[in-house]
Amino acid sequence: MARVALVTGGTRGIGEAISKALKAAGYKVAASYAGNEAAAAKFKDATGIPVFKWDVGSFEACGEGIKTVESELGPVEVLVNNAGITKDTPFHRMTLEQWNAVINTNLGSLFNMSRHVIEGMRARKFGRIINISSINGQKGQFGQVNYSAAKAGDIGFTKALALEAARSGITVNAICPGYINTEMVRAVPKDVLEKNVIAAIPTGRLGEPEEIARAVVFLASDEAGFVNGSTMTINGGQYLT
């Protein structure tokens, strides 16, 4: 029977590519989203992947959402924590709301989602949790104290939970994408993108969402059972670890 994979923020950008790649690899995929109804409907129509709306920053909403997914598709065996937001501003102008919103969505969601599936994974002696962090969680970024802190926290979460879950047949890994050719990045003015972003990437181009998705498919597989607690850096050589 096909395993069930749940991708948060799974209807747009990197998440969309991940959802599609997991479906192509034979998984039963569920994609969650926060609020863009039009994008979610378009994604569902194009892919046939069921979509579910909830706020990953809410522990209660995640619990209810996961119950719905599991009642329709079966137990979640692969969880991809991909959902994320930005509220960029220099720290001396950052508001508490901007801080809390990013921390709750980009870091708190890892607890909110993983806590609701970990006991089932332990009971079944199998699970894959894949957390999408960021190059900016590794190196920091001007105007992104909130985002960088959350994404660095994702890496610490990954390492600690990997140690706890390993004996139960569960792996927990992180992926740190660099600058990827998504709608958000394409919105950057062309001259800024070329001079300040692409010029800093040794590979000389943006990454493609499908390149992140292929890494997720590998980490979700049985073949990746000995890969645990790792941080996979996919950034074209922009930041070396």
Side-chain angles (χ1 to χ4, degrees), residues 13 63-64 69 71 79 82 90 95 122-123 130 138 211:
E64 291 302 314
V69 169
S71 69
L79 171 63
N82 167 74
T95 65
R122 285 168 57 87
I130 303 160
Q138 296 174 301
E211 293 177 293

Side-chain angles (χ1 to χ4, degrees), residues 17-98:
I18 292 170
S19 296
K20 290 178 178 178
L22 286 168
K23 181 181 180 182
Y27 293 85
K28 293 168 65 177
V29 180
S32 81
Y33 69 102
N36 192 325
E37 302 278 1
K42 181 180 178 181
F43 167 86
K44 182 179 179 180
D45 289 343
T47 65
I49 295 171
V51 298
F52 302 84
K53 181 181 179 181
W54 72 79
D55 175 12
V56 295
S58 165
F59 182 76
E60 293 77 15
C62 289
E64 291 302 314
I66 290 168
K67 283 182 184 178
T68 301
V69 169
E70 293 192 326
S71 69
E72 295 186 17
L73 300 181
V76 173
E77 295 182 285
V78 176
L79 171 63
V80 183
N81 287 310
N82 167 74
I85 62 171
T86 57
K87 289 186 178 291
D88 297 352
T89 190
F91 185 73
H92 66 276
R93 291 201 292 266
M94 186 174 291
T95 65
L96 181 60
E97 184 279 330
Q98 289 170 321

Side-chain angles (χ1 to χ4, degrees), residues 164-227:
E164 292 188 16
R167 292 295 180 92
S168 298
I170 302 165
T171 66
V172 188
N173 293 287
I175 295 175
C176 287
Y179 286 86
I180 305 300
N181 186 22
T182 62
E183 180 181 348
M184 181 176 68
V185 173
R186 289 193 299 271
V188 175
K190 184 178 180 181
D191 60 330
V192 175
L193 190 63
E194 291 178 352
K195 294 177 182 178
N196 296 349
V197 177
I198 296 175
I201 303 172
T203 307
R205 64 174 176 85
L206 298 174
E208 294 298 330
E210 292 75 17
E211 293 177 293
I212 308 303
R214 286 193 289 270
V216 171
V217 171
F218 168 68
L219 292 173
S221 69
D222 289 350
E223 290 78 7
F226 203 56
V227 182

